[in-house]
Amino acid sequence: MILHRAPFVIHHFTTLRSTSDTLKSMSDAPAFTVVTADEQTAGRGRRDRSWYSPRGDGLYLSILLRPVAPVLSPSLISLLAAIAVAETIIDLGVREVDIKWPNDVLIDGRKVCGILAEGATSGNQSSCIVIGIGVNLNQRSFPEEIAEVATSLFLSTKETMDAARFRDHLLTNLARWYELWHSGADLRIIERWEELSSYAKHRQVRIETEGEEVVGETIGLAGSGALLVRMADGHVRSILAGQISHLR
Ligand code: BTN
């Protein structure tokens, strides 16, 4: 089924292995092509993890973006996607929304949304990014392995959320932030992310990056979207990717 909604073209499926894999296989799809599914049988998360994707309980959405070159700060795209999700949840009246660096959205400290940004190759057009977004909407419970760390909108609001309604609201927010980024308003994105995330500043953290561990206090985001961490010896490290845990 193809639904039109400017500037998005939404392809909705009942079952897919992964909305991101399907979108990446549509090599010449135009910017703002969106793939959604009622369920994913092989939903993928960051760091080769799987994404729990039961039928009808979540939003499983991937969107194709084709930023106009040169892209100076690509990691801001995944930060702005997290801002868009967090604002969508806040707009629904949910409090205690947080962003765990770089782009996990939490309610009451538990993960309600994960975002996977991937570069994709395409025929004739250069830069192409697929943003995969999974939001736990109506789950009443979770499998044992993630029960302690996951939550859903339902568990917070006690109300069932219509996936299409959440999707449309999210896409509106995403389009607004993406346009701002395109117009060079990087600073607005950084400021908004810092406002929404308790991880941005004054947080003692441990970050596992490729082959090393950085421990220190967060002091904000750099212009590139990297997290700035001041270590015990006073040196400031700028970290673009890694797995964060907070110490207190
Ligand atoms: C994470 O590990 O936090 C990222 C999870 C991303 C899950 C979404 S669901 C829609 C899209 N399709 C996938 O296979 N993964 C992403």
Side-chain angles (χ1 to χ4, degrees):
M1 187 193 349
I2 298 184
L3 309 166
H4 289 273
R5 184 191 150 74
F8 303 103
V9 178
I10 300 168
H11 300 257
H12 181 72
F13 298 83
T14 309
T15 303
L16 285 180
R17 284 177 56 77
S18 155
T19 54
S20 288
D21 290 350
T22 298
L23 186 51
K24 283 162 87 176
S25 72
M26 297 162 66
S27 60
D28 286 323
F32 304 113
T33 299
V34 173
V35 171
T36 55
D38 291 335
E39 75 176 335
Q40 298 183 118
T41 54
R44 294 186 293 106
R46 293 195 298 139
R47 306 177 144 237
D48 294 328
R49 296 200 183 118
S50 61
W51 184 256
Y52 177 59
S53 310
R55 176 179 291 249
D57 277 347
L59 176 66
Y60 316 113
L61 175 150
S62 297
I63 177 166
L64 183 75
L65 300 173
R66 294 186 182 277
V68 176
V71 177
L72 298 176
S73 48
S75 43
L76 288 185
I77 295 186
S78 69
L79 299 184
L80 74 82
I83 293 172
V85 173
E87 288 189 337
T88 304
I89 294 173
I90 291 167
D91 290 346
L92 292 167
V94 178
R95 295 157 70 150
E96 304 306 327
V97 178
D98 193 5
I99 302 177
K100 181 178 174 187
W101 181 80
N103 54 16
D104 286 349
V105 181
L106 314 179
I107 298 176
D108 284 324
R110 290 172 180 237
K111 184 159 166 173
V112 69
C113 165
I115 295 172
L116 180 68
E118 299 174 292
T121 45
S122 69
N124 44 9
Q125 303 187 52
S126 48
S127 148
C128 171
I129 296 175
V130 169
I131 308 280
I133 303 176
V135 187
N136 300 329
L137 297 179
N138 296 318
Q139 286 90 339
R140 267 60 169 171
S141 62
F142 288 89
E144 209 180 317
E145 320 83 79
I146 55 172
E148 293 289 304
V149 293
T151 192
S152 69
L153 267 182
F154 177 84
L155 290 173
S156 169
T157 62
K158 306 292 177 241
E159 282 173 29
T160 303
M161 169 54 59
D162 178 61
R165 190 176 141 226
F166 190 94
R167 174 201 68 199
D168 288 350
H169 197 139
L170 170 61
L171 289 176
T172 304
N173 285 342
L174 192 63
R176 199 180 63 247
W177 281 105
Y178 184 67
E179 251 168 47
L180 271 170
W181 175 73
H182 240 225
S183 67
D186 292 13
L187 199 59
R188 289 268 306 275
I189 292 167
I190 286 166
E191 283 171 358
R192 186 62 177 137
W193 190 94
E194 288 180 345
E195 256 169 37
L196 289 167
S197 174
S198 74
Y199 286 76
K201 288 181 185 167
H202 314 301
R203 198 86 189 250
Q204 292 296 326
V205 295
R206 172 183 292 122
I207 304 177
E208 286 168 47
T209 65
E210 297 270 297
E212 73 168 326
E213 194 177 82
V214 176
V215 176
E217 182 187 357
T218 59
I219 57 169
L221 292 183
S224 61
L227 186 64
L228 299 171
V229 179
R230 184 183 290 120
M231 298 188 299
D233 64 4
H235 278 97
V236 174
R237 293 287 307 272
S238 150
I239 300 170
L240 265 173
Q243 181 70 15
I244 195 168
S245 49
H246 65 91
L247 302 176
R248 64 182 132 92

